[in-house]
Amino acid sequence: MTELVGLADVQAARELLAGVTRTTPLEPSRPLSAALGGPAWLKCENVQRAGSYKVRGAYVRISRLSAEERQRGVVAASAGNHAQGVALAAGLVGAHATVFMPVNAPLPKVAATKGYGAQVELVGNTVDESLVAAQTFAERTGAVFIHPFDHRDVIAGQGTVALEILEQCPDVKTIVTGVGGGGLISGLAVAAKALRPDVRVIGVQAASAAAFPPSLKAGEPVRLPFFSTIADGIAVGRPGELTFTHVRKLVDEIVTVSEEDISRALLMLLERGKQVVEPAGAVGVAALLAGVVEVQAPVVAVLSGGNIDPLLMLRVIEHGLAAAGRYLRVTVRCTDRPGQLASLLGEIAEHRANVVDVVHQRANPHLRLGEVEVALSVETRGVEHSDTLISALRASGYQVVFAGEG
């Protein structure tokens, strides 16, 4: 039987982290408070050193290595946040770090990992494939493998987040956080349940990369045959053995959110909270906004990381605007005559919508002779405004076609 990490382990980890990691702020969230009908707070691990909570567990694990182990160096696998945490921690204790990352890892995360002094190897399409490569490297070279989540020291280090939450918000009733392999939520649950057994600990996974629900149902870790999500930081195909045991025994609930839910949450955090958060760091907020879980306030949602690729941010913002009904993509079919495009754009302007781009084309076999197709991207003020605009265009005789319609 696997022995759980205890409160004493988390408290000892906090002593090790003194002067290494920062106590991240707990910020109030008005949009969440309004949606939940009670106080809601954001635990801002997105502003932690190296941009995520990962440095906590990585440093605890690496700092406890012997001098001989440090001499051999460390190796890890990660989509980015654990990579940066290991690179930073290894540099602080004077150990060489080699990090295996998926070939499609965000370029800013790759650059940051190298910037902390690690040697980066791009291998595989997923973190799971990178993990295999890292473990093979460890066996071949003698480097110490630093698992991203399935180790007692790592879990204890991540649990220090909960100690800070309980001090910053003593009356907290619910803690919500994203879940990938389960290291963070395992540590959170250890500390929270030991000090405040009444606190509910809820984990959130991306629906298209949710390994914990089937694993909990099966009673053992189950590997997903396929998974893909914009939340690359929690795109893990199989829970760890140790983390699975902790989640099964200590975590109250695991829920899932859609890619649209994540996009909306990122947009809200950026627009209303002024928080730069990566998709994996926003899934807790996404669950609260989407109403997929019932919670008791005060609620704390952990923003687990802020290392987002600017290009991905652009796509996510656009996706979030579309999901919120504020970014409309439609195709309008109309007669091909001089001045028709100007008339169409003029009507859109009359309804105070902003045209972002226009594609005017005639070479479509579905079009009738004398008909033209105009693809439009339009900014609106929300779903109601979008519906009003579409109704007005149709009332004026335009044929409005959405994606997927004929």
Side-chain angles (χ1 to χ4, degrees):
M1 182 176 178
T2 303
E3 181 182 354
L4 299 185
V5 172
L7 176 61
D9 299 310
V10 179
Q11 291 171 329
R14 189 177 198 181
E15 292 181 9
L16 278 175
L17 292 170
V20 175
T21 57
R22 62 174 300 198
T23 299
T24 52
L26 192 73
E27 298 288 348
S29 173
R30 289 185 179 181
L32 277 183
S33 297
L36 301 175
W41 303 82
L42 305 173
K43 179 58 172 171
C44 301
E45 284 294 293
N46 56 313
V47 298
Q48 181 58 265
R49 291 187 71 177
S52 85
Y53 72 94
K54 285 286 192 177
V55 67
R56 296 174 183 261
Y59 184 82
V60 172
R61 173 77 172 98
I62 295 173
S63 67
R64 287 176 171 167
L65 297 178
S66 67
E68 187 271 333
E69 288 173 322
R70 295 183 190 183
Q71 183 65 33
R72 301 203 310 261
V74 299
V75 60
S78 167
N81 287 343
H82 180 60
Q84 291 174 69
V86 167
L88 174 58
L92 292 173
V93 303
H96 176 72
T98 302
V99 179
F100 287 80
M101 304 177 73
V103 294
N104 58 351
L107 293 179
K109 293 185 177 183
V110 174
T113 303
K114 291 179 178 178
Y116 287 120
Q119 177 181 333
V120 174
E121 301 289 344
L122 300 178
V123 176
N125 294 311
T126 67
V127 175
D128 285 359
E129 293 176 6
S130 298
L131 276 170
V132 172
Q135 290 167 331
T136 300
F137 178 89
E139 294 170 0
R140 186 178 76 250
T141 66
V144 180
F145 178 63
I146 308 298
H147 201 285
F149 49 84
D150 212 31
H151 192 280
R152 294 180 61 85
D153 288 341
V154 172
I155 291 173
Q158 319 306 28
T160 59
V161 175
L163 297 183
E164 294 177 14
I165 290 174
L166 294 174
E167 291 172 355
Q168 293 167 321
C169 185
D171 58 343
V172 62
K173 294 291 193 300
T174 311
I175 299 175
V176 184
T177 188
V179 178
L184 174 59
I185 198 168
S186 294
L188 283 171
V190 166
K193 294 296 184 180
L195 295 170
R196 285 278 309 283
D198 60 306
V199 171
R200 294 191 73 223
V201 178
I202 298 172
V204 185
Q205 293 202 288
S208 53
F212 265 98
S215 297
L216 291 169
K217 184 176 181 180
E220 62 182 3
V222 172
R223 183 173 297 281
L224 296 176
F226 174 80
F227 54 95
S228 177
T229 174
I230 59 172
D232 62 281
I234 55 172
V236 179
R238 181 183 184 276
E241 298 288 342
L242 186 56
T243 55
F244 174 79
T245 301
H246 282 75
V247 169
R248 182 173 60 176
K249 292 185 177 181
L250 298 175
V251 173
D252 294 285
E253 190 175 0
I254 299 287
V255 299
T256 63
V257 291
S258 68
E259 302 295 282
E260 288 72 23
D261 293 333
I262 299 171
S263 295
R264 289 191 195 97
L266 283 166
L267 183 62
M268 186 279 283
L269 287 166
L270 183 64
E271 192 171 38
R272 300 288 304 279
K274 317 306 176 191
Q275 298 282 350
V276 176
V277 183
E278 62 188 278
V283 293
V285 171
L288 296 174
L289 289 176
V292 299
V293 60
E294 293 185 7
V295 297
Q296 185 177 1
V299 179
V300 173
V302 181
L303 305 182
S304 58
N307 296 313
I308 184 169
D309 185 334
L311 294 177
L312 174 61
M313 179 181 286
L314 288 174
R315 294 196 296 271
V316 166
I317 289 173
E318 183 177 290
H319 193 114
L321 287 169
R326 292 166 53 193
Y327 192 85
L328 184 64
R329 286 196 187 92
V330 294
T331 297
V332 178
R333 292 177 183 174
C334 54
T335 57
D336 187 11
R337 57 182 175 80
Q340 185 64 64
L341 179 60
S343 297
L344 171 61
L345 297 180
E347 180 146 357
I348 293 173
E350 286 178 10
H351 286 82
R352 305 189 69 80
N354 182 46
V355 176
V356 178
D357 58 59
V358 179
V359 177
H360 189 268
Q361 58 180 348
R362 297 180 178 86
N364 186 330
H366 298 291
L367 294 174
R368 296 190 297 269
L369 188 65
E371 192 175 44
V372 69
E373 193 172 71
V374 182
L376 298 159
S377 296
V378 183
E379 291 178 342
T380 69
R381 295 190 297 274
V383 175
E384 185 176 344
H385 188 203
S386 296
D387 291 343
T388 299
L389 175 62
I390 295 302
S391 297
L393 291 175
R394 285 174 170 162
S396 296
Y398 295 105
Q399 182 182 359
V400 181
V401 182
F402 293 93
E405 296 181 348

